[in-house]
Amino acid sequence: MSLDIEALPWTHELVDALPGDPREDLAPRQVRGALYSRVQPTPVSAPRLLALVPEVADLVGLAHAPTPALVEVLSGNRVLPAMRPYAACYGGHQFGAWAGQLGDGRALTLGEVRGADGAPWELQLKGAGPTPYSRRADGRAVLRSSLRELVCSEAMHHLGVPTTRALSLVTTGDGVVRDLLYDGHPEVEPGAIVCRVAPSFVRFGNFELPASRGEHALLEQLTRWVLTRHYPHLVDGPRLDVPGFLAEVCRRTALMVNHWMRVGFVHGVMNTDNMSILGLTIDYGPYGWLEPFDPSWTPNTTDAQTRRYRFGQQPRVALWNLTMLAQALVPLVDDPASLEAALDAYADTLGPAQLEMALGKLGLVPDAARADDDAALATSLYTLLGEVPIDMTLYYRRLAELPLSPLPAPAACMEALSEAYYAPEVVPAAHVEHVHAWLSRYAARAADAQLAEAERHARMSRTNPLYVPRNALVHTVIEQAAAGDVAPLTRLLEVLRRPYEPRPGLEAYAAKLPAWAEHKNATTSATS
Ligand code: AMP
Ligand code: MG
C-alpha cells in the first residue's frame, strides 16, 4: 500500500527517546549534554521536483504521484504536524585530526517511517538551510553536488554496495554562492535539496563527541538506542555487548570498503563524521570513480598533497577510523582490551573478503589449498593494471570475454583487451609480455579448477559492473539538468539500475574517460 506524504505514519522515535538541545533557534553554538537540536528547514522560493526515485518511495510506502504537498515537504517549505525535524550533534576526526563538534550543518532529519516489514527509515533533507551546526556556512547545497549524491547513492545500491539511499531531488529556485576551486572566484550556482533515506544516519562521530567531553551517560544512552534499534541481539536487559557492537561495525565496514574496491569507488572524505555506524556508504561529497587504474588517485582536490583518502588507502583508513570509534567506546567497557580484540574483526573479515572479491572478479572461487598462489595471482594483476593507463571497469569486462582455452597469441589477447587501454597504439612490448605471462597463469588456474568458460563468464559478469556513474557522464547530466532538461538524468538513473547487464545502444554509458573530462573532473566534484 502506498500513501501520500501527509498520510504516511510519521514517527519521531529518536527525538522521543534521547536528550536534545533545549534551545530551538539556529544560532551557531556548542551543544553540550544533548545528541541533537530541534530545527526547522528554511523555506525556498520556487521548489521544483527533478527526480523521485520510485523504488525508494516504495521502501517507505510513499505514493509516486508528485503532488504539490510532496514537493513542499521535500523542499523544506512545509513541515507536517507529525514531524519533529532535528539536526544531529556529532564530532569527528577530519584528515587525521580531532575537529571537535561538527554536527548536521546542512542536513536535517524530517522524521521516521516504518517500512512494510517494520524496519525504520529516516528521511533527511540535505541543503534545507542552516542549523546550530552550520558554523559560518549557509546550510545549502548546489544542484551539482545534490545530483551527484542522488545518482551515486542509487548506483551504489544497484551495484550491491551498502549505502544510504536517495528519494528525491528538488531545485530550490534560489542561487547558492560557491568558490568552486577555492581560488577566490565565487560564483552563483542553482541550489538543490536531496532527500536521503537510511535506517539511521548515526556516524562514528556521534559517539566520539560525547566521549571527548566526558559525557558518559549521554554516550551510554546513544549506544543503548543504536543497539536496541539496529543490533538488538547485543542487548541483554541492562547489559550492552559493546565489544560485540564494535566487532559488528568492523565487519560491516570491512565488507563495505571491500565493495568500494571491487567497483572502483573512491569516497574522497573518509573522516570519522562520514562513517556510518551501520556500515553504509554515507555523505557523497567529492567522491569519484576510478577510471585509469591508479591506487594513488583521489578525486578530492583539497587532499591532493597527502592523498590520505586515495583509492588504495581506503581499507587502511577504515581501520584507523574504527580505532577512533573503539577509543570513544572505552568509557562503556570494564576492560579496554576487549575493544582491542574486537577490532581484529576488521582484518579477520577483510582478509578473506578481499581474496574472494579479487578472485570473483576473475570468475574464480577461493580454494584454501591455493590461497597463497591465488593472492599472488590477484596482486600481480593489480601491478599489471598500473603499468600503463588502463580502464579498470572495461578491463574486467573484456577479460571475461577473452577465451582462455586455448589462450590466443599475445597480439590477439591485446586486441581483445584493447578497448580498456587509454593509448592502445603505444603499449610497450614489455607490458604485452607481462600480460601474456599473467594470462597464462590465469588460464592454468582456471583449467586446474575445471572452470567452464560459460561459468567463468557468468561469474565475472555478476562481479564486474559495466555501467558506473563515471565522472564525465554525471557532469554532462548536471549541465543538462541546470539548463532545465531532466530527461538525461532520468535516463542515467535507468541505466544504472542494471549495472551488470550490457544493453545495445548504451555504449556511451560504458565508454572510458573522454580527454575533455580529465580536467573537468576536479570542477565537478570540488566544493559541495
Ligand atoms: P562534509 O565534509 O561534507 O562531511 O562536512 C563537514 C562538516 O561541515 C559537517 O558538519 C557539515 O554539516 C558541515 N557543512 C558542510 N557544508 C556545509 C554548508 N554548506 N553549510 C553548513 N554546514 C556545512
Ligand atoms: Mg559529512
Side-chain angles (χ1 to χ4, degrees):
M1 190 183 56
S2 62
L3 299 167
D4 285 340
I5 192 112
E6 295 144 292
L8 281 182
W10 290 101
T11 62
H12 27 78
E13 295 173 34
L14 184 144
V15 167
D16 291 342
L18 296 175
D21 179 5
R23 279 175 63 176
E24 295 196 2
D25 62 284
L26 301 178
R29 57 184 177 268
Q30 291 292 309
V31 175
R32 292 176 201 278
L35 294 165
Y36 61 87
S37 299
R38 293 283 314 278
V39 292
Q40 296 293 315
T42 305
V44 301
S45 53
R48 197 163 78 86
L49 185 67
L50 295 197
L52 184 74
V53 178
E55 56 271 46
V56 181
D58 291 344
L59 281 180
V60 300
L62 176 69
H64 300 182
T67 61
L70 181 72
V71 182
E72 293 279 289
V73 171
L74 296 178
S75 64
N77 276 9
R78 190 162 153 201
V79 173
L80 299 171
M83 293 171 166
R84 302 277 184 278
Y86 72 88
C89 180
Y90 54 80
H93 280 86
Q94 297 187 314
F95 297 94
W98 174 243
Q101 177 184 301
L102 296 166
D104 284 334
R106 55 161 164 182
L108 55 91
T109 291
L110 285 175
E112 302 157 43
V113 170
R114 293 252 169 200
D117 58 356
W121 293 107
E122 277 190 31
L123 280 80
Q124 183 175 83
L125 299 184
K126 185 169 174 183
T131 76
Y133 308 100
S134 300
R135 291 168 285 169
R136 284 192 304 278
D138 56 9
R140 294 296 184 189
V142 295
L143 174 60
R144 177 171 47 81
S145 69
S146 300
L147 189 151
R148 280 170 48 84
E149 172 139 14
L150 175 103
V151 166
C152 196
S153 56
E154 286 309 292
M156 293 284 266
H157 169 74
H158 294 293
L159 285 163
V161 185
T163 178
T164 62
R165 305 292 302 271
L167 171 66
S168 60
L169 178 66
V170 173
T171 45
T172 60
D174 300 321
V176 173
V177 178
R178 287 288 180 270
D179 187 357
L180 197 57
L181 294 178
Y182 303 100
D183 63 353
H185 294 92
E187 280 186 35
V188 180
E189 295 190 48
I193 297 172
V194 71
C195 179
R196 315 195 279 196
V197 175
S200 169
F201 290 95
V202 173
R203 302 137 192 273
F204 293 7
N206 294 68
F207 295 81
E208 289 179 275
L209 186 60
S212 76
R213 290 171 167 170
E215 297 173 338
H216 297 162
L218 201 60
L219 178 67
E220 210 268 347
Q221 274 177 293
L222 172 70
T223 309
R224 179 170 295 281
W225 160 261
V226 167
L227 265 58
T228 305
R229 198 169 162 91
H230 303 289
Y231 299 96
H233 57 290
L234 301 176
V235 183
D236 182 10
R239 223 192 125 260
L240 301 178
D241 180 358
V242 175
F245 167 50
L246 179 63
E248 187 73 25
V249 180
C250 284
R251 281 190 282 273
R252 290 192 189 200
T253 304
L255 296 178
M256 172 191 78
V257 172
N258 196 48
H259 276 295
W260 293 359
M261 305 309 282
R262 171 175 64 85
V263 299
F265 173 79
V266 192
H267 184 286
V269 206
M270 289 178 74
N271 293 331
T272 57
D273 53 305
N274 292 337
M275 296 292 294
S276 149
I277 208 69
L278 300 182
L280 305 172
T281 312
I282 189 172
D283 272 15
Y284 292 85
Y287 69 81
W289 288 80
L290 204 60
E291 294 190 61
F293 181 83
D294 175 4
S296 73
W297 184 70
T298 173
N300 188 344
T301 49
T302 60
D303 188 24
Q305 288 297 312
T306 61
R307 294 176 178 261
R308 180 179 173 87
Y309 298 141
R310 59 190 181 268
F311 176 68
Q313 180 95 329
Q314 296 184 118
R316 281 177 59 193
V317 171
L319 178 58
W320 190 88
N321 290 343
L322 286 158
T323 309
M324 296 305 110
L325 175 63
Q327 282 178 12
L329 297 175
V330 166
L332 302 180
V333 297
D334 297 329
D335 179 10
S338 64
L339 293 173
E340 228 166 274
L343 279 173
D344 289 344
Y346 183 76
D348 293 348
T349 306
L350 186 65
Q354 257 174 340
L355 185 59
E356 190 181 341
M357 180 272 285
L359 293 182
K361 286 181 80 68
L362 300 175
L364 300 168
V365 180
D367 172 348
R370 308 176 216 245
D372 290 346
D373 286 353
D374 280 351
L377 184 73
T379 311
S380 38
L381 176 59
Y382 293 138
T383 308
L384 265 188
L385 289 175
E387 285 185 356
V388 293
I390 295 173
D391 188 88
M392 175 175 128
T393 303
L394 286 173
Y395 199 84
Y396 283 97
R397 296 294 300 202
R398 294 291 87 87
L399 190 58
E401 279 154 26
L402 181 75
L404 295 185
S405 167
L407 184 66
C413 287
M414 293 310 292
E415 179 58 32
L417 297 169
S418 67
E419 196 196 345
Y421 284 77
Y422 283 85
E425 64 290 346
V426 293
V427 174
H431 177 74
V432 177
E433 235 175 75
H434 297 164
V435 170
H436 204 258
W438 182 86
L439 286 171
S440 305
R441 283 165 67 195
Y442 175 36
R445 169 65 168 87
D448 212 28
Q450 297 184 319
L451 178 62
E453 282 294 86
E455 196 187 332
R456 180 177 71 94
H457 185 270
R459 197 169 291 146
M460 290 179 80
S461 306
R462 284 197 302 270
T463 312
N464 301 303
L466 177 60
Y467 307 116
V468 295
R470 291 170 181 267
N471 304 308
L473 282 178
V474 183
H475 183 88
T476 306
V477 167
I478 291 166
E479 289 189 332
Q480 287 157 325
D485 182 7
V486 293
L489 168 61
T490 311
R491 176 112 174 112
L492 178 61
L493 288 170
E494 189 53 42
V495 171
L496 295 172
R497 273 193 183 100
R498 286 185 284 155
Y500 298 96
E501 192 186 312
R503 278 156 286 159
L506 299 186
E507 291 72 18
Y509 290 93
K512 55 184 186 282
L513 190 70
W516 66 263
E518 279 176 45
H519 68 278
K520 290 261 186 188
N521 176 46
T523 55
T524 306
S525 60
T527 51
S528 48

